[in-house]
Amino acid sequence: MTRWSRPEAGREPAAAALLSWLADPDAPRLCLVTGSPQCGKSTLLAWLVGHGTHPDTRAERRVHGFAPLAGQSPLTAAWTLARQLSVAARTPGELVATLAADGRRTVLVLPDLHAAEDPEAMSELALALLDLDHIRLVVETRPAAGARLGTTGAAVMRLDEDQWTDPRRYAEWAARQAPERSAAEAEVPPPAVDLADPAAICAADPWHVTRLFELSGGAHGGLREAWLRAGLSLTDTRDPSVRALTLLSALGDGADPRHPESLAALASGAAWRVVWHRVRDDVRPPWPGPARALAVRDGRLLVADHQGTVRLLDATDAAPVGRLPQSSGQPRALAVGPEGEVLALDAEGTLRLRAGAVRERTGLEALLDDGPAPLEGPLERVNARLEESPGTALAASGTVLATGDATGQVHACFLAGDAERAAVLHEGPVTALAALDLPVPPVPPEAGGAAVPLLYSGGLDGRVRAWGPQADPLGTPLASRPCPVTALAAAVTPDGPVLAVAWADGQVEHHMPDSDAPPRTFHPGLAVRALAVTASGLLVIGTDESLIALSPR
């Protein structure tokens, strides 16, 4: 356990009070730190954040996120907090909604509210966060700017009052402080940026560009809308080529027709190439709606939206080629069986065959085989088990049907025969599954050879596990990060097996398990709901705002 140092400026009494407030479950959930300029407010909070964010800090003293608010807007503050909290939030409202769905205690420190671009708007964000019972806020502000927050019954610490200070140590600290800079030493204003020039905005400071776009009323050839859609990612990278790639993936079809070509050229140094993309309100061809689940069948992409509609797109260019009949409810996941059957895991955790999703057999096939459909028996067995433990994740291949549940267990049902295996792979719910069939040399499965199933699972615990269900699972996770896995996809491609992983903070990883190369990454700036990998190696990323197809360079 790391030992906490003494705070600067003689603020030991104030520091002790802050730590007591953090540990008191009955204390107000907002602590306002106020006082006159240069009284040491920022110094005190820097001490709290410096120790409170250390990995060894006790839970009751833990600080989970902090956002210096000087010069910031609620949007940029939300992006800063989202990155630190490992969530994907495009707007302040999305940040609040995401945190509302996670009931864990969360402590946020917000320095310099009085210096925000709009203190009143920033106070609105603070109040919205305070509406969540599991959120605690430490807000630094000058008395006038914090008047509205002060009416909430907050704990108030006015550092001008003698009780919060050791006078001798404060005097020593004050004597060491550099005099205020003169007007001649004031910061040079940031340079102007041509917001209609893709090269200029990708090369400039991304936070400055964000503020300029927020204040601008123009569309700037569609660049403004794309930037604000993907900005959470754009402000998180220093590489202009990666910014250009991300911006291109968020650009609508109503943008200046010169911009896609310009951005593609600027992105030539990135690890990915955008093959096609569709964003909200696109009409040529149309955006297929929020992508809540994805699957691939015979070169076609199955896209399930928030209402349960499953649209079929040509995977090479996203051209619409049809849809499956409407069903009730939004599926948690889609999977494709060995004969093209489309399976859906519904919101109740039950597995269903989608209506109209099974290929009709020819007359000769029907005469020669009048037995049950290949998935009929496995489907009955799986659903019998799901009645006891509803499914949270689904995957299928030509040899296996797999589900995961809220206990962390993954269950594999072999399609040939009636063998089943189960293993607990996660601490907490299984959030995603993917399955593929590895060919057994020398004859590939498509030529009649054997295949061995391989399952990948992701969990709320932030781990990705690999399991060949004919053996015991490996003890070491394939990947692990401090945020939940939201989607998985796997396929055998011309370059070998590929695994794609999406995390709750919006990052996507592209793994090639047979290679020693590190995973490629991509962050669309949005929460990733679903993934798919085609047999040709195309990576498809589904969000509520976009559908993006990438090819590794």
Side-chain angles (χ1 to χ4, degrees):
M1 195 71 65
T2 302
R3 183 179 178 86
W4 286 49
S5 65
R6 297 175 69 182
E8 291 279 352
R11 295 301 183 189
E12 288 90 342
L18 268 180
L19 296 181
S20 295
W21 171 81
L22 282 172
D24 184 356
D26 298 322
R29 289 183 295 104
L30 171 62
C31 178
L32 283 177
V33 179
T34 72
S36 58
Q38 308 301 319
C39 74
K41 300 185 298 296
S42 296
T43 301
L44 175 63
L45 294 194
W47 169 85
L48 177 65
V49 169
H51 288 287
T53 55
H54 195 278
D56 290 340
T57 297
R58 296 204 307 261
E60 66 183 26
R61 295 183 175 182
R62 182 75 176 163
V63 172
H64 302 89
F66 67 99
L69 302 182
Q72 299 300 311
S73 69
L75 177 65
T76 56
W79 288 352
T80 300
L81 290 172
R83 286 215 303 268
Q84 294 178 15
L85 298 173
S86 297
V87 300
R90 189 171 58 95
T91 65
E94 286 186 9
L95 175 66
V96 174
T98 300
L99 295 181
D102 184 347
R104 293 175 296 177
R105 169 189 165 102
T106 303
V107 177
L108 306 177
V109 178
L110 306 177
D112 295 322
L113 181 138
H114 54 276
E117 184 178 88
D118 184 344
E120 186 65 23
M122 202 66 81
S123 294
E124 290 284 349
L125 174 57
L127 290 169
L129 291 168
L130 198 61
D131 280 342
L132 307 180
D133 291 341
H134 56 284
I135 301 291
R136 283 193 172 222
L137 298 180
V138 182
V139 178
E140 176 208 349
T141 184
R142 292 179 187 169
R148 186 173 178 191
L149 294 177
T151 65
T152 62
V156 180
M157 181 180 293
R158 297 180 177 86
L159 291 188
D160 293 321
E161 297 175 354
D162 293 341
Q163 62 180 313
W164 306 118
T165 312
D166 178 326
R168 180 184 61 80
R169 294 194 70 242
Y170 178 79
E172 293 173 353
W173 171 81
R176 293 194 302 268
Q177 301 310 298
E180 294 186 11
R181 291 179 297 178
S182 64
E185 297 173 315
E187 293 184 7
V188 177
V193 179
D194 182 355
L195 297 181
D197 180 358
I201 63 176
C202 289
D205 176 73
W207 292 102
H208 178 49
V209 172
T210 300
R211 297 302 301 122
L212 292 177
F213 272 134
E214 277 196 281
L215 298 171
S216 171
H220 304 286
L223 294 174
R224 180 181 186 273
E225 182 180 17
W227 186 281
L228 296 180
R229 174 179 286 126
L232 179 62
S233 176
L234 296 168
T235 54
D236 197 31
T237 178
R238 298 180 180 180
D239 188 337
S241 66
V242 175
R243 285 188 201 140
L245 177 81
T246 306
L247 194 59
L248 174 59
S249 73
L251 197 67
D253 67 357
D256 186 321
R258 297 170 294 181
H259 289 340
E261 184 177 351
S262 297
L263 288 169
L266 291 167
S268 60
W272 295 98
R273 178 175 65 88
V274 176
V275 178
W276 51 259
H277 67 287
R278 302 287 176 265
V279 302
R280 184 180 292 274
D281 298 328
D282 275 2
V283 294
R284 301 187 307 272
W287 175 60
R292 297 298 178 86
L294 294 172
V296 179
R297 182 180 74 172
D298 297 337
R300 292 180 175 180
L301 197 64
L302 304 170
V303 184
D305 68 14
H306 59 301
Q307 296 178 327
T309 301
V310 178
R311 293 176 172 82
L312 280 68
L313 310 181
D314 188 321
T316 61
D317 60 5
V321 293
R323 70 171 64 188
L324 300 183
Q326 185 74 27
S327 68
S328 59
Q330 170 201 328
R332 291 187 180 204
L334 294 176
V336 175
E339 294 194 3
E341 308 95 332
V342 178
L343 295 160
L345 186 69
D346 64 22
E348 288 73 38
T350 300
L351 193 56
R352 302 182 187 279
L353 272 174
R354 283 297 302 252
V358 181
R359 295 196 194 98
E360 292 187 7
R361 292 178 290 177
T362 65
L364 180 60
E365 289 175 323
L367 286 172
L368 294 176
D369 182 10
D370 59 354
L375 277 181
E376 186 175 315
L379 191 62
E380 289 180 0
R381 297 200 305 274
V382 170
N383 271 331
R385 186 181 49 77
L386 293 179
E387 288 182 2
E388 301 176 1
S389 182
T392 58
L394 166 70
S397 71
T399 62
V400 70
L401 175 60
T403 58
D405 65 23
T407 70
Q409 184 177 85
V410 174
H411 188 275
C413 179
F414 292 90
L415 302 184
D418 56 2
E420 300 183 28
R421 290 208 65 189
V424 175
L425 300 182
H426 297 278
E427 298 177 2
V430 180
T431 54
L433 284 173
L436 53 75
D437 291 330
L438 295 176
V440 177
V443 183
E446 57 268 22
V452 175
L454 179 62
L455 299 177
Y456 295 103
S457 66
L460 193 67
D461 58 5
R463 296 173 182 172
V464 178
R465 303 285 301 274
W467 179 35
Q470 293 173 321
D472 293 333
L474 298 176
T476 304
L478 180 67
S480 179
R481 294 186 66 223
C483 60
V485 177
T486 59
L488 293 174
V492 178
T493 74
D495 294 322
V498 167
L499 169 68
V501 184
W503 309 84
D505 61 356
Q507 179 166 299
V508 176
E509 292 181 351
H510 178 272
H511 295 257
M512 300 192 70
D514 288 349
S515 169
D516 293 332
R520 299 171 186 259
T521 62
F522 179 75
H523 193 315
L526 300 160
V528 177
R529 306 295 188 185
L531 294 171
V533 177
T534 70
S536 65
L538 202 66
L539 171 63
V540 183
I541 300 170
T543 79
D544 283 346
E545 293 281 323
S546 60
L547 192 65
I548 305 162
L550 302 175
S551 176
R553 291 187 187 276

